[in-house]
Amino acid sequence: QVQLRESGPGLVNSSQTLSLTCTVSGGSISANYWNWIRQAPGKGLEWMGAITDSGRTYYNPSLRSRISMSRDTSEHQFTLQLASVTPEDTAVYYCASSQELIRRPSSSALYDYWGHGTQVTVSS
């Protein structure tokens, strides 16, 4: 069974850099885009960015100055780094795969594979 699973620290201090990894297991996935999406308490899904197999990246303009994504195809992983975090970055972070670039996700159903999510809390 193919799965995407997020991993990383559950607690980050303000001003630090958040680093998360998404690992594909149980088989291979054909996807054009590998995405990071988050959902803050009481808010909707926010697309953060995407990376292709060739390494091309697409970022949410609101995060462009702080976000970086990379991909290790040999390890079946892709990563997210978010710099200078604040308590407003507290959210459940998800990784997902898709064939299309979805910048305004209304539902996880739009994505082919969706991770379980990992809670990240930024302390003030």
Side-chain angles (χ1 to χ4, degrees):
Q1 181 180 357
V2 177
Q3 291 185 338
L4 272 64
R5 183 168 296 275
E6 306 86 352
S7 59
L11 181 64
V12 183
N13 294 324
S14 288
S15 79
Q16 290 187 337
T17 296
L18 167 66
S19 295
L20 296 176
T21 298
C22 182
T23 302
V24 179
S25 63
S28 60
I29 296 176
S30 175
N32 290 327
Y33 301 96
W34 304 91
N35 304 270
W36 285 100
I37 301 110
R38 67 182 180 180
Q39 187 167 27
K43 296 187 177 180
L45 298 174
E46 178 186 23
W47 175 77
M48 301 180 69
I51 188 168
T52 67
D53 279 342
S54 64
R56 182 171 182 176
T57 53
Y58 303 81
Y59 298 140
N60 187 320
S62 69
L63 300 171
R64 191 181 302 279
S65 64
R66 300 195 291 134
I67 191 173
S68 176
M69 294 178 63
S70 62
R71 176 155 169 79
D72 186 341
T73 56
S74 64
E75 295 294 330
H76 307 291
Q77 294 179 331
F78 61 105
T79 63
L80 166 73
Q81 290 195 318
L82 186 65
S84 304
V85 297
T86 73
E88 291 187 350
D89 293 309
T90 293
V92 179
Y93 286 72
Y94 300 94
C95 58
S97 66
S98 63
Q99 302 304 321
E100 305 294 332
L101 187 61
I102 305 167
R103 298 178 186 268
R104 296 177 180 270
S106 57
S107 167
S108 62
L110 297 174
Y111 296 85
D112 300 323
Y113 290 91
W114 184 266
H116 295 280
T118 186
Q119 172 70 46
V120 175
T121 300
V122 179
S123 62
S124 59

